[in-house]
Amino acid sequence: MSPHRVVALLNPPQSLFELACVAEVFGTAPQDTPARYTFGTCAEHPGPLPTTGGFTMLVDDGLPALQEADTVVVPGWQPPGAPAPPAVIDALRAAHQRGARIVAICTGAFVLAQAGLLDGRRATTHWRGTAQLATAFPEVQLDPDVLFVDHGDVATSAGTGAGIDLCLHLVRSDHGAAYAAQIARNMVLPPHREGSQRQYATQPPAPARVDESLAPLLDWATSRLHTRLTLTCLAEHAGLSGRTLARRFAEQLGTSPGQWLLGQRLDAARVLLERTDLPVEVIATRVGLASAVNLRRRFRAHLGTTPGTYRRAFGEI
């Protein structure tokens, strides 16, 4: 099977960090693993392209590159809300109509909205731009809190960090959790965040002290997924009250202890389904979901599929 072609559509001045994150996820294959993606860039006008870093980068390809793309990524757009050239809008619409997946990182959502690809659909962008996007495009169902929204054919993310979350989510959708985990490890990233997590805490917390970090607890819990881990158990291990632990999860991870733990169990189940031929009942026990019935129910609710279907799609054995 030929690699999935990802093309980033650039615009002057190009946001560097957003582009770098997309290139790192899709343009760098894990060591000793066949490349699943090819990565390239294009712009309306090939040649020197100014960047937000104060230097110029050279872009070889023009908009015809989008005609061969399986996924088109708009990694930010400066300034936010600036009108995209008609040729860019037409190229995005044509790519979408022929079946390419269109992805916006951060302020790239403004361009997708201009192209009409977000009409009547949920979408998100960086929290600083949500009011502007909602005013300019009232037909878009803006969700200002979530990290990303994926409709399958169109996806949008919040800021740069959430853009990485979205890109890794797309890799998991394309090639399974194990391959996405390899990329995340290469990037020295923590366990992934789901799109429904909040962009930021409702009340901005004070900076966490080193001894308030959840990292040791998360490492301890992920090594014991096969055991019964309750909020009380987690709080006792961390030496905190349940209320304090829940607050720190909300501040540092944007989710609750229970939802975080369920996500880890489902990720572990996905990797076992991909890399082993263990029965579903055994996998359910190993990841702490107790029974095959419970695992199937959680899979259906959170991933929209069954363990058997997932294994047939991504199994390596």
Side-chain angles (χ1 to χ4, degrees):
M1 183 172 59
S2 60
H4 185 112
R5 176 69 173 166
V6 178
V7 176
L9 174 58
L10 310 185
N11 179 69
Q14 178 56 48
S15 303
L16 289 173
F17 198 22
E18 287 87 345
L19 174 59
C21 292
V22 174
E24 183 71 14
V25 172
F26 294 113
T28 304
Q31 190 174 11
D32 301 323
T33 302
R36 310 287 178 88
Y37 297 95
T38 61
F39 179 75
T41 61
C42 75
E44 181 186 17
H45 303 293
L49 186 81
T51 70
T52 56
F55 60 86
T56 299
M57 61 184 295
L58 183 63
V59 180
D60 293 328
D61 293 325
L63 295 178
L66 300 186
Q67 298 172 9
E68 305 297 326
D70 299 300
T71 293
V72 177
V73 183
V74 183
W77 198 263
Q78 298 297 328
V88 169
I89 296 297
D90 290 344
L92 277 175
R93 288 172 176 165
H96 181 257
Q97 287 171 2
R98 68 169 178 79
R101 179 171 59 194
I102 312 297
V103 178
I105 306 299
C106 195
T107 53
F110 283 87
V111 183
L112 271 60
Q114 290 178 40
L117 301 182
L118 302 179
D119 289 356
R121 310 178 94 175
R122 282 180 67 237
T124 194
T125 189
H126 192 285
W127 59 267
R128 284 187 178 136
T130 54
Q132 182 182 354
L133 184 63
T135 300
F137 302 99
E139 63 275 19
V140 178
Q141 298 174 11
L142 188 65
D143 192 335
D145 290 334
V146 297
L147 296 180
F148 59 83
V149 177
D150 178 21
H151 293 287
D153 62 323
V154 174
T156 54
S157 85
T160 304
I164 299 175
D165 294 319
L166 172 57
C167 290
L168 290 173
H169 160 79
L170 296 175
V171 173
R172 281 190 294 274
S173 298
D174 293 340
H175 298 293
Y179 186 74
Q182 287 181 281
I183 295 175
R185 282 195 295 271
N186 282 354
M187 297 176 71
V188 197
L189 291 174
H192 81 271
R193 300 181 294 173
E194 294 293 342
S196 58
Q197 291 180 214
R198 294 177 64 84
Q199 287 194 38
Y200 53 91
T202 303
Q203 297 294 328
R209 298 192 303 268
V210 173
D211 61 358
E212 290 181 344
S213 171
L214 289 172
L217 176 65
L218 303 185
D219 290 341
W220 178 82
T222 51
S223 69
R224 292 164 175 78
L225 293 178
H226 60 286
T227 66
R228 186 170 181 268
L229 295 172
T230 63
L231 175 60
T232 299
C233 177
L234 294 172
E236 287 179 352
H237 183 80
L240 302 170
S241 68
R243 179 175 298 180
T244 298
L245 182 65
R247 186 182 70 249
R248 290 192 185 174
F249 263 82
E251 293 173 352
Q252 297 183 34
L253 299 179
T255 190
S256 69
Q259 287 300 310
W260 176 84
L261 188 57
L262 177 59
Q264 302 311 300
R265 296 190 194 280
L266 289 174
D267 274 355
R270 292 164 77 172
V271 172
L272 289 174
L273 288 167
E274 293 170 26
R275 295 188 165 181
T276 75
D277 59 359
L278 291 171
V280 173
E281 185 74 42
V282 174
I283 290 175
T285 301
R286 286 198 179 186
V287 302
L289 289 175
S291 68
V293 171
N294 190 31
L295 176 57
R296 291 189 182 98
R297 180 169 64 86
R298 299 291 190 177
F299 243 72
R300 175 68 70 182
H302 290 266
L303 303 176
T305 188
T306 65
T309 300
Y310 185 88
R311 172 173 268 166
R312 285 191 292 274
F314 299 113
E316 300 175 0
I317 293 181

